[in-house]
Amino acid sequence: MRYKSQAVAYWYFAVAVALFGLQLVFGLLSATKYLGPDPLLYILPFDVTKMIHTNVLIVWVICGFMGATYWMVPDESRTELHSTRIAYVQLVLWTLMGLATVVGYLFRWGTGNKLLEQPLPSKIVIVIVMLMFLYNVGMTIRKSGRFTTTEGVLLGGLGLAAVLYLPALLYYENYTVSIFYRWWTIHLWVEGVWEMIQGGFLAYLLIRLSGADREVMEKWLYVIVGLVFIAGILGTAHHYYWVGVPSYWLPIGGIFSALEPVALVGMAMYAYFAIRRSGMAHPNKLALHWTVGSAVYTLFGAGLLGLAHTFPSVNKWTHGTLITAMHGHAAFYGAYAMIVLAMITYALPSFTRRPEEGTSMGYLSFWMQMAGMFGMTLSFATAGIGQVYLERIMGMGYLDAQLKIQVHFVMLIITASIFTIGVALFIIDFFRYAPRLEPLRADAPNHPLDANRTAATT
């Protein structure tokens, strides 16, 4: 840790990993409801547990984004954060908003708009927090007089994520119209500007971990951002099959959705070749695992599995089925959860006395999460294929079809349990070392600086 104000990132990471654990509790609870009689049916029904599961995901991932930004921007700008007080107030507001919203869901206090169920007071707090965040980061960069392309892509993604939340603040009487505008937030987040955020973090980590040339990394970023804007924005139309828009949107959505994996292929390739050139020389190999894993798993989950069911001729059968859950779990985890875990793993040796090369618990956590998520993806895929055939082709009733595919949910519970143990190990590995939040001297022994400081600071 080079700058004292980077310490605020530790507390953002702490909140993020704790909420990650909470998300999995409600995810497992939701999955078990498919296996038979539900003793919590009138206390915690499926719609409530699933709503909490998906919304806590958004809260902890964005919390991780903010923490990672507060770590990265001082390092890139070579200056202290503009205001640690704003950062801490922002974290308190964000955490209280997230917890209050979850409690509200338990009492059915929400808008009913999938993934944007937050009640209006929570949405107002989200806007306030994002404005505080962008102001703090912007002033930090401004006072430093140093603005890198990596920072620009990251800040552009964060700023656009805030702008694209504005449609979620509006109320629409017509539910179809509400769904239409919901995709302007959800799709353009997860298949648009959030990929810019991931790209910014990925470039930063590759420069620091591999000693890769900054100019080459930033050129790749331009390519990824261009493809995200071209394919991601027009690819929104692949959701429009179900909301009554003119038919010409269907081929547009299908074609540009098919182009979205091109950016992800580029991201995976430049991560692989950068690490290959470095020869895995950086001591923090655990962070390297998470970084390359994020790029590769994004290609698999967001790219290939997304492509597999977004063409209109396929999506008319698969939309809203467990095939969507297959794509969603792998894509969110690979693109956003893993890049946050990569940033945490990279920064943690600077915050604590955790060995820079990682711990056996950390590596076990990585591989258990990989195995568990891959198993969950396969379980959702096999269950979804059966569901599509039985329900939408054969015309079998929903509950009858669920009985036929129930064995796949047994597989889902087993693999999800493996994944949950992996996450629990990550959380334990994070908290078992007491924080040490003072910057170390550059000449201190075992100072966790970059393997190639020259490349990192050019």
Side-chain angles (χ1 to χ4, degrees), residues 331-396:
F332 256 97
Y333 178 70
Y336 308 123
M338 288 187 72
I339 200 64
V340 170
L341 298 182
M343 288 294 294
I344 292 173
T345 304
Y346 173 72
L348 197 58
S350 296
F351 292 136
T352 69
R353 298 190 182 279
R354 198 207 76 180
E356 189 173 8
E357 65 273 13
T359 63
S360 57
M361 182 180 292
Y363 286 101
L364 181 60
S365 168
F366 174 82
W367 289 113
M368 289 191 74
Q369 288 188 52
M370 291 294 97
M373 180 54 69
F374 187 70
M376 289 167 62
T377 302
L378 290 181
S379 299
F380 277 123
T382 51
I385 292 169
Q387 180 188 21
V388 168
Y389 182 77
L390 293 173
E391 283 184 33
R392 300 194 170 177
I393 296 176
M394 298 293 293
M396 185 178 290

Side-chain angles (χ1 to χ4, degrees), residues 313-345:
S313 58
V314 176
N315 191 243
K316 69 179 182 179
W317 302 104
T318 62
H319 191 91
T321 67
L322 293 165
I323 296 293
T324 304
M326 168 202 72
H327 164 53
H329 279 74
F332 256 97
Y333 178 70
Y336 308 123
M338 288 187 72
I339 200 64
V340 170
L341 298 182
M343 288 294 294
I344 292 173
T345 304

Side-chain angles (χ1 to χ4, degrees), residues 264-292:
L264 307 177
V265 170
M267 189 181 295
M269 286 176 60
Y270 99 128
Y272 171 75
F273 287 115
I275 297 299
R276 186 177 179 182
R277 282 195 300 270
S278 74
M280 299 286 283
H282 196 281
N284 196 339
K285 290 184 173 57
L286 184 55
L288 281 167
H289 278 66
W290 285 110
T291 301
V292 177

Side-chain angles (χ1 to χ4, degrees), residues 376-457:
M376 289 167 62
T377 302
L378 290 181
S379 299
F380 277 123
T382 51
I385 292 169
Q387 180 188 21
V388 168
Y389 182 77
L390 293 173
E391 283 184 33
R392 300 194 170 177
I393 296 176
M394 298 293 293
M396 185 178 290
Y398 174 80
L399 292 178
D400 290 333
Q402 288 300 308
L403 289 175
K404 301 294 185 183
I405 63 175
Q406 199 170 53
V407 63
H408 300 296
F409 285 92
V410 176
M411 297 163 55
L412 176 66
I413 294 295
I414 294 171
T415 53
S417 298
I418 294 170
F419 179 78
T420 301
I421 293 170
V423 173
L425 291 175
F426 187 95
I427 295 171
I428 293 169
D429 199 41
F430 180 92
F431 286 110
R432 69 174 171 158
Y433 295 98
R436 180 194 59 199
L437 302 178
E438 290 294 328
L440 295 177
R441 302 189 318 274
D443 60 348
N446 300 319
H447 188 273
L449 290 177
D450 314 315
N452 188 334
R453 294 188 66 179
T454 302
T457 56

